[in-house]
Amino acid sequence: MSERIETLKKARDRMIEDRDAHAKVLAAPFVRDTAERARNKFVEIQALIDALDRAISGESLVPVKN
């Protein structure tokens, strides 16, 4: 696996951990300010994870140069 794909996958794993933390806040008893911030961060991080997934898919289509 190329170093670039490996880096993208590590970044994706880290973002999933961050997203999970915000999901826990959303699952907890409702506190308006906290829930709104967690929701916004969750959506922002999910968009980043989606972008990383596209980047990983794109990298797998590019032939490796020797």
Side-chain angles (χ1 to χ4, degrees):
M1 179 177 348
S2 80
E3 183 179 341
R4 186 177 298 150
I5 292 175
E6 190 174 320
T7 300
L8 290 167
K9 287 184 176 185
K10 285 180 184 177
R12 184 183 186 280
D13 291 342
R14 172 139 324 134
M15 291 301 99
I16 288 172
E17 289 174 13
D18 287 352
R19 182 195 62 191
D20 289 349
H22 293 291
K24 288 178 184 177
V25 172
L26 292 170
F30 184 76
V31 176
R32 185 178 188 92
D33 290 340
T34 306
E36 286 178 358
R37 279 185 298 227
R39 183 184 64 228
N40 291 337
K41 288 301 287 182
F42 183 93
V43 170
E44 177 185 326
I45 292 169
Q46 184 60 48
L48 178 55
I49 291 168
D50 293 342
L52 287 165
D53 284 341
R54 290 190 306 273
I56 291 166
S57 294
E59 285 295 323
S60 348
L61 300 175
V62 177
V64 177
K65 294 180 183 178
N66 291 326

